[in-house]
Amino acid sequence: MTYVLRSLAVSDPGLVRPNNEDVAFAGNRLIAVADGMGGAPAGEVASEIAISSLAPAERSAPGAEPVTALLDAIGAANTRIRAVTDADQATEGMGTTVTAMLLAGRRLAVAHVGDSRGYLLRSGSLSQLTRDDTFVQALVDQGGLTPEEARRHPQRSLVTRVLQGGPLAPATVALIAQPGDRLLLCSDGLSDVVDDDSIAATLVGFPDREECARQLVKLAHQAGAPDNVTLVLADVVPAVDPETSTAGIEPA
């Protein structure tokens, strides 16, 4: 059986940042989030390049290998970022995270760089499909910090890998989708301030995607929302389902 995604994207500037450097895409087969590097020049340019490079994968051949399609698109984005920074010194140092999922039939591919996250809710259980490319995650992996200590660490936002025009090997995951799977991509503006238990409870407790997305943003606001909050929420359904997905970004 072939599946498609019912998806939507929401991007909110948060309560502190004067601008929004996050960009997202929500389609029938592709979902993606990119978070421009905070404090670096033209972070919003880098995140827009990432998403515009990924968008054509939505129309890739359903029989094509989805992991390869994502890696090719991210590689193209990385090359474009390098070209922009070479042409304009004012953008030197810009970069972006990117987390994307592509559905091809029943095959679901995940590609990831940075600290935006990808989650899978299946049968009421939440799994994080991505690993944060951050300084504190490396300490957690080495046993130097607990996950809870990492959430409070002053350097928790120090990212160790981003799309910045240099050599890059994104992490990938491949799995078989199941009807009823709920997928969540989010920038760290959500995951840094809302813990996984609260995210899981919201994904389970709000079946309607729009209500669920609003609740997740509300939780981030209640926690202070110090960063841009962007998320893509998608449900896996059989392709014969008549409901079409909602693609695009809701303005903040």
Side-chain angles (χ1 to χ4, degrees), residues 188-205:
D188 64 337
L190 177 68
S191 56
D192 270 0
V193 298
V194 181
D195 62 44
D196 284 4
D197 288 344
S198 298
I199 290 174
T202 303
L203 295 176
V204 172

Side-chain angles (χ1 to χ4, degrees), residues 76-87:
N78 202 40
T79 299
R80 287 177 59 191
I81 288 171
R82 181 73 270 162
V84 170
T85 57
D86 286 345

Side-chain angles (χ1 to χ4, degrees), residues 6-156:
R6 297 177 185 168
S7 64
L8 63 82
V10 176
S11 192
D12 184 278
L15 301 177
V16 176
R17 294 287 180 90
N19 64 322
N20 191 342
E21 295 184 329
D22 293 354
V23 183
F25 183 92
N28 294 322
R29 296 179 53 219
L30 172 74
I31 56 176
V33 165
D35 179 358
M37 287 176 60
E44 64 276 13
V45 174
S47 58
E48 179 59 43
I49 288 173
I51 296 302
S52 63
S53 297
L54 277 161
E58 167 78 6
R59 302 184 298 276
S60 61
E65 171 51 52
V67 170
T68 301
L70 287 181
L71 290 179
D72 288 347
I74 291 173
N78 202 40
T79 299
R80 287 177 59 191
I81 288 171
R82 181 73 270 162
V84 170
T85 57
D86 286 345
D88 184 358
Q89 289 189 346
T91 62
E92 183 63 37
M94 75 174 183
T96 183
T97 72
V98 63
T99 303
M101 297 184 184
L102 179 63
L103 185 63
R106 299 175 61 239
R107 295 170 297 163
L108 181 67
V110 185
H112 166 77
V113 180
D115 64 348
S116 298
R117 288 187 179 179
Y119 291 96
L120 166 66
L121 182 77
R122 176 174 288 176
S123 300
S125 179
L126 185 69
S127 302
Q128 184 178 331
L129 300 178
T130 57
R131 175 193 175 277
D132 295 347
D133 291 320
T134 60
F135 171 71
V136 294
Q137 183 60 53
L139 293 180
V140 171
D141 294 344
Q142 296 165 8
L145 288 177
T146 67
E148 184 55 36
E149 288 171 337
R151 293 182 62 82
R152 301 191 301 270
H153 197 281
Q155 292 181 299
R156 63 186 178 275

